Amino acid sequence: MKKLVMCAVLVAAIGLSVTSCRETKKKAEDVVDGTEQVIEEGTEKAEELANKAGETLEDAKEATTDAIEELKEGAEKVEGEVKEAAENLKEGAEKTKDAVKKTGTELKNAAEDIKNEVKQ
C-alpha cells in the first residue's frame, strides 16, 4: 500500500512536472514570439527613420545647392553692376575733366581778351 501511495505521489509529481514544463515552454515560446515581433517592428521603424533621415539629408543638400547657386548668380549680377557703375564713373570723370579743361581754356581766352581790351 505504501508503495502504491508512493507510486501515485510519484506519478502525480511527474505529471505536475511535465505540465509545468509544458506551461513554461509555452510561456517561453510566447515570450520568444513577442520578442521577435518587437524586433521586427523595431527594425521596420528603424528603416523608416533611416529613409526619412536620408530624404531629409537629400532635401537639405538640394536646398543648400540651390541657395549657393542663387548666391553665386546674385554675386555675378552685383559684380556686373559694380563694373558698369565704375565705367559710368570713369566716363563722368573724363567728361568733367574735359569740361573743366574747356572752361579753363575759355577763362584764359576771356582773360586775354580783357587784357587786350584794357591795353587798347
Side-chain angles (χ1 to χ4, degrees), residues 85-98:
E87 286 294 320
N88 290 340
L89 284 172
K90 183 178 176 184
E91 287 177 17
E94 287 176 7
K95 287 179 182 178
T96 301
K97 176 182 144 190
D98 291 343

Side-chain angles (χ1 to χ4, degrees), residues 79-113:
E79 180 184 20
E81 290 175 359
V82 168
K83 283 182 180 179
E84 186 178 336
E87 286 294 320
N88 290 340
L89 284 172
K90 183 178 176 184
E91 287 177 17
E94 287 176 7
K95 287 179 182 178
T96 301
K97 176 182 144 190
D98 291 343
V100 168
K101 204 177 203 184
K102 183 179 176 185
T103 303
T105 303
E106 289 174 358
L107 285 173
K108 183 178 176 184
N109 291 339
E112 289 206 15
D113 287 346

Side-chain angles (χ1 to χ4, degrees), residues 29-59:
E29 288 173 353
D30 290 346
V31 168
V32 168
D33 290 343
T35 303
E36 287 174 351
Q37 185 178 357
V38 168
I39 290 171
E40 284 179 26
E41 290 174 2
T43 302
E44 288 174 9
K45 292 292 183 188
E47 288 175 359
E48 287 176 20
L49 289 174
N51 289 338
K52 285 181 183 178
E55 290 171 7
T56 301
L57 287 174
E58 192 61 36
D59 290 347

Side-chain angles (χ1 to χ4, degrees), residues 1-13:
M1 182 77 148
K2 259 184 177 183
K3 285 184 180 182
L4 186 60
V5 172
M6 289 294 252
C7 281
V9 170
L10 183 59
V11 169

